[in-house]
Amino acid sequence: MISTVLAQAAAGGSGILGQVFLFGSIILIMYFFMIRPQQKKQKESKKFIEEIKKGDEVVTIGGLHGKVFSVESDAVMLELDRGLKVKVEKSAISLDFSKKTETKK
């Protein structure tokens, strides 16, 4: 009877190890497919916003297409048409849509 109890306890211990391995592998998969790409995208977006200069063509999150007229510390003056200038926050400029307009040219 004692030997059967010990055998069952040993079998139960390997099940816990399997569960820990499964849980660890799920966390690893989530990191490589969700967290890491998001961090990379945030770095690219931050770099893009910091490197904005006069003459760049950009698109805002709201969909306004324009050319950068001037750059201030936390804002950008966009020229939408001749004489029509709009002041927007740097954080309102979209990296994804700005890249699309550059590749079309």
Side-chain angles (χ1 to χ4, degrees):
M1 178 151 163
I2 294 176
S3 62
T4 57
V5 171
L6 292 175
Q8 289 176 354
S14 66
I16 292 173
L17 183 63
Q19 288 177 353
V20 169
F21 178 73
L22 180 66
F23 186 67
S25 62
I26 289 172
I27 289 174
L28 190 66
I29 289 170
M30 284 180 56
Y31 174 76
F32 279 108
F33 286 106
M34 296 175 68
I35 298 170
R36 190 169 176 232
Q38 185 66 25
Q39 289 175 342
K40 185 177 177 182
K41 186 176 178 181
Q42 285 177 345
K43 285 181 184 177
E44 287 177 0
S45 180
K46 184 177 179 180
K47 182 181 175 188
F48 173 75
I49 289 174
E50 289 173 354
E51 293 178 350
I52 292 176
K53 60 187 178 304
K54 184 177 179 178
D56 289 348
E57 292 199 13
V58 295
V59 180
T60 64
I61 293 172
L64 294 173
H65 295 249
K67 187 179 270 189
V68 177
F69 183 75
S70 67
V71 179
E72 298 172 11
S73 62
D74 60 345
V76 174
M77 192 70 96
L78 291 181
E79 184 174 29
L80 304 178
D81 199 16
R82 284 190 209 125
L84 179 61
K85 295 177 183 75
V86 177
K87 185 176 185 177
V88 296
E89 294 291 320
K90 281 187 176 181
S91 61
I93 295 176
S94 171
L95 168 65
D96 297 333
F97 293 116
S98 297
K99 279 186 175 179
K100 289 179 185 176
T101 58
E102 289 175 6
T103 57
K104 288 182 181 179
K105 290 181 180 181

